């Protein structure tokens, strides 16, 4: 079987409900579905309900969730609530970890709850510039993965998607080179064989992905998609990235 790709757009704190609906309808008109390609957007929570009735061609994900099903947790959104609205949920994005102080333990609880509620977790991992420059990239990723998977049954870990997002590449315009991305993805694949024996793994690359660099990144052996921030906010750039993937699949 050929490679399965996921092209995902993380909209962060951009676009209201009406803008999100218009974007998804417009985007659906820019590509035809091809086997081996899934397209998803991760809008803010307020847009999720409004996207449910739209074209099923584009999958929907949430950018975060809390790890309890219900209770006195003012301001939080639970997997039970997301279950009726989305397919995917981003977990442990570096902005959640850095700005909102999410720990590896929080990430682990979220992964377990997402799986329990049949949401597909997109687990984000990645190193800072300082960690890369001091040779700590692998150790950091290994720790993040081990902790995130703690207590997850092997058969469930096959549902997890990983997004490798070097923090120094996020929103900086400075992407990891295709070679750097491939190296880390390959390393993650090796770890996965130990952490989740026999389970498949799809790994996305994220960090300053744009139309100009997407083809080469997607062509790497262990890169099975991209998680796109800034360039997913405009139809032109996001659909150009999708088209690059379609082109690769046709080769
Ligand atoms: P960027 O963001 O594409 O704007 O670098 C990626 C992300 O944060 O997921």
């Amino acid at each position: 079987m050929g490679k399965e790709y996921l092209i995902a757009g993380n909209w962060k704190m951009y676009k209201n409900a009406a803008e999100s609906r218009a974007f998804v309808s417009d985007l659906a008109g820019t590509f035809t579905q091809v086997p081996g390609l899934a397209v998803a957007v991760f809008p803010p929570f307020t847009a999720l309900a409004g996207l449910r009735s739209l074209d099923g061609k584009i999958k929907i994900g949430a950018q975060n969730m809390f790890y309890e099903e219900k209770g006195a947790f003012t301001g939080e959104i639970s997997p039970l609530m997301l279950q009726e609205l989305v397919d995917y949920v981003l977990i442990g994005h570096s902005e959640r970890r850095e700005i909102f102080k999410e720990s590896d333990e929080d990430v682990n609880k979220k992964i377990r709850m997402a799986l329990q509620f049949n949401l597909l977790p997109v687990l984000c991992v990645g190193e800072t510039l300082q960690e890369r420059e001091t040779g700590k990239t692998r150790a950091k990723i290994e720790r993040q993965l081990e902790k995130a998977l703690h207590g997850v049954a092997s058969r469930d870990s096959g549902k997890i998607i990983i997004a490798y997002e070097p923090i120094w590449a996020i929103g900086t315009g400075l992407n990891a080179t295709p070679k750097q991305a491939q190296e880390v993805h390959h390393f993650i694949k090796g770890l996965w064989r130990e952490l989740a024996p026999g389970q498949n793994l799809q790994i996305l690359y994220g960090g300053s992905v744009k139309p100009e660099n997407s083809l080469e990144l997607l062509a790497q052996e262990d890169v099975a998609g991209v998680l796109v921030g800034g360039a997913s906010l405009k139809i032109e750039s996001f659909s150009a990235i999708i088209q690059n993937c379609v082109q690769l699949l046709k080769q």
Side-chain angles (χ1 to χ4, degrees), residues 10 12 90 93-95 124 165 169-173 206-210 227-232:
N10 171 16
K12 312 194 178 188
L90 282 187
H93 188 280
S94 63
E95 286 150 19
C124 304
E165 297 208 306
I170 296 178
T172 58
S208 295
V209 174
K210 39 192 177 265
L227 181 57
V228 189
S232 73

Side-chain angles (χ1 to χ4, degrees), residues 45 48 62 64-65 77-86 119:
F45 285 129
L48 296 179
N64 181 31
M65 58 165 235
I77 304 283
S78 86
L80 184 66
M81 296 159 186
L82 289 179
Q83 197 181 37
E84 58 177 356
L85 299 176
V86 304
L119 297 164

Side-chain angles (χ1 to χ4, degrees), residues 76-243:
E76 292 297 319
I77 304 283
S78 86
L80 184 66
M81 296 159 186
L82 289 179
Q83 197 181 37
E84 58 177 356
L85 299 176
V86 304
D87 305 291
Y88 302 97
V89 59
L90 282 187
I91 300 207
H93 188 280
S94 63
E95 286 150 19
R96 301 291 325 163
R97 294 181 192 254
E98 305 232 311
I99 306 169
F100 300 99
K101 308 294 171 222
E102 273 184 22
S103 65
D104 284 321
E105 289 69 32
D106 296 330
V107 168
N108 175 246
K109 287 184 197 159
K110 291 182 180 196
I111 290 279
R112 284 155 58 164
M113 276 306 260
L115 290 167
Q116 197 178 316
F117 284 84
N118 291 319
L119 297 164
L120 298 171
V122 179
L123 166 64
C124 304
V125 296
E127 80 287 3
T128 62
L129 186 59
Q130 204 206 6
E131 285 161 343
R132 173 159 284 264
E133 286 175 343
T134 52
K136 298 197 181 95
T137 300
R138 290 180 175 215
K140 167 79 172 289
I141 287 169
E142 187 166 350
R143 191 198 77 216
Q144 286 182 320
L145 283 183
E146 266 173 13
K147 296 214 164 170
L149 259 72
H150 184 75
V152 174
S154 186
R155 62 173 188 287
D156 283 341
S157 44
K159 295 177 194 140
I160 299 174
I161 297 167
I162 289 180
Y164 167 55
E165 297 208 306
I167 297 170
W168 49 270
I170 296 178
T172 58
L174 184 75
N175 59 288
T177 63
K179 185 165 171 279
Q180 286 173 324
Q182 169 58 27
E183 267 167 20
V184 176
H185 285 220
H186 187 73
F187 171 69
I188 294 174
K189 280 248 160 117
L191 278 178
W192 201 250
R193 279 193 287 276
E194 290 165 30
L195 291 169
Q199 297 299 324
N200 280 338
L201 177 64
Q202 182 173 27
I203 313 174
L204 318 181
Y205 166 78
S208 295
V209 174
K210 39 192 177 265
E212 303 79 45
N213 59 23
S214 56
L215 188 62
E216 216 190 323
L217 284 162
L218 289 165
Q220 302 305 305
E221 187 180 350
D222 295 313
V223 176
V226 282
L227 181 57
V228 189
S232 73
L233 293 169
K234 293 218 167 68
I235 296 274
E236 301 72 40
S237 42
F238 197 46
S239 65
I241 293 168
I242 296 169
Q243 289 312 325

